[in-house]
Amino acid sequence: MSARPVLGIIACNRQVGAEYAQAVMNRYAKAAMRHADCAALLIPSLPDYMHADDIVGRLDGVLLTGSPSNVEPARYGEDSEGEGPFDPDRDRMMRDLVEAVIAAQRPLFGICRGFQDINVALGGTLRRDTATNGELLRHHTPDGTLFDAMFDHRHHVDLVEGGMLASAYGAPSLDVNSVHYQGVGRLADGLSVEARAPDGLVEAFSARPNGAPLLAVQWHPEWAVDGNSESQTYFRLLGQALRGAL
């Protein structure tokens, strides 16, 4: 039996009782392992104790997940404090991971905050008004919405013709969940738009930096993935990338 490829999944610093732990929500790991048909290792966001270069060469690719935390505004050149919670050690680890993964010619995938991470790491900016700006769609449910109900909030996205997602889905648009307070402000140089919301907000992008595929989405394909064939397609693309077939 041949070994499955190994995916590195970034962890967040989350408070558990009186202490902090490295955490990845099970839904990300299960979705990747099942629908990308891979094994997985968690990458601790402890940049004072390890560097991305220590591990990237031992992995077949990396996934940057969503998180309750936001990227600190200083990371993309903003002077304002912004709204937390923040996870500065994840910010540092994701920056180094993006650089190391690209240098090692490994696939890099991102979901929600991971999508924002990649844009920031490559020199782009974020906007923080996607749930409050009346000129945009509401991209997050009102505060106080029950957790599961947040993922019932949906809108369609238009896929860019000839893009990686449009080719995979064979369709001009998708219906996706929308659970984010922040989004792309300025898209980093070198990234190609894969999908936009009806209000013009970038919802997915791709690239092939140094030859390996990079694909990130603002929505949450890992949510209830077993009952959603479109979400499964995202992870099948991840599985192909891990095997050098994308």
Side-chain angles (χ1 to χ4, degrees):
M1 179 178 179
S2 60
R4 295 192 296 171
V6 179
L7 175 70
I9 304 177
I10 196 170
C12 298
N13 292 282
R14 302 287 292 272
Q15 188 166 0
V16 179
E19 297 184 274
Y20 279 84
Q22 297 299 303
V24 172
M25 295 299 103
N26 278 354
R27 67 179 189 269
Y28 294 103
K30 287 181 176 179
M33 289 190 286
R34 179 172 296 158
H35 297 290
D37 189 21
C38 64
L41 294 174
L42 305 191
I43 302 172
S45 287
L46 295 171
D48 289 333
Y49 298 90
M50 61 175 280
H51 192 275
D53 287 337
D54 296 333
I55 56 165
V56 163
R58 310 179 196 191
L59 302 171
D60 295 296
V62 167
L63 173 65
L64 303 181
T65 67
S67 172
S69 66
N70 292 325
V71 180
E72 290 185 312
R75 295 283 176 188
Y76 48 94
E78 294 283 342
D79 293 332
S80 62
E81 293 182 0
E83 294 186 12
F86 299 116
D87 186 347
D89 281 345
R90 168 162 168 159
D91 288 350
R92 290 169 58 199
M93 181 57 73
M94 71 84 177
R95 178 199 61 200
D96 293 342
L97 269 174
V98 170
E99 181 179 309
V101 169
I102 291 173
Q105 298 180 293
R106 299 293 197 272
L108 177 63
F109 276 52
I111 293 172
C112 198
R113 173 178 161 143
F115 162 92
Q116 298 165 15
D117 283 338
I118 294 169
N119 187 53
V120 168
L122 296 179
T125 65
L126 302 180
R127 59 188 300 170
R128 303 191 297 274
D129 62 347
T130 62
T132 58
N133 188 327
E135 297 180 358
L136 299 176
L137 293 174
R138 180 177 284 275
H139 287 268
H140 197 290
T141 56
D143 291 343
T145 302
L146 294 176
F147 183 76
D148 285 6
M150 289 193 305
F151 293 89
D152 292 333
H153 182 62
R154 307 180 70 85
H155 61 72
H156 84 270
V157 295
D158 295 314
L159 303 182
V160 174
E161 185 177 358
M164 196 180 297
L165 290 179
S167 298
Y169 286 104
S173 65
L174 295 176
D175 186 54
V176 302
N177 53 40
S178 188
V179 191
H180 60 104
Y181 291 104
Q182 302 193 140
V184 167
R186 182 178 63 80
L187 190 66
D189 293 342
L191 297 178
S192 298
V193 176
E194 287 278 338
R196 289 186 185 272
D199 56 15
L201 197 68
V202 176
E203 292 273 339
F205 55 68
S206 67
R208 287 191 179 272
N210 216 9
L214 179 160
L215 180 63
V217 299
Q218 180 64 84
W219 61 89
H220 284 268
E222 87 291 346
W223 181 259
V225 64
D226 291 341
N228 188 318
S229 61
E230 290 181 345
S231 292
Q232 291 168 24
T233 296
Y234 178 79
F235 290 100
R236 284 197 294 272
L237 289 172
L238 173 59
Q240 291 172 26
L242 295 174
R243 292 168 172 82
L246 184 63

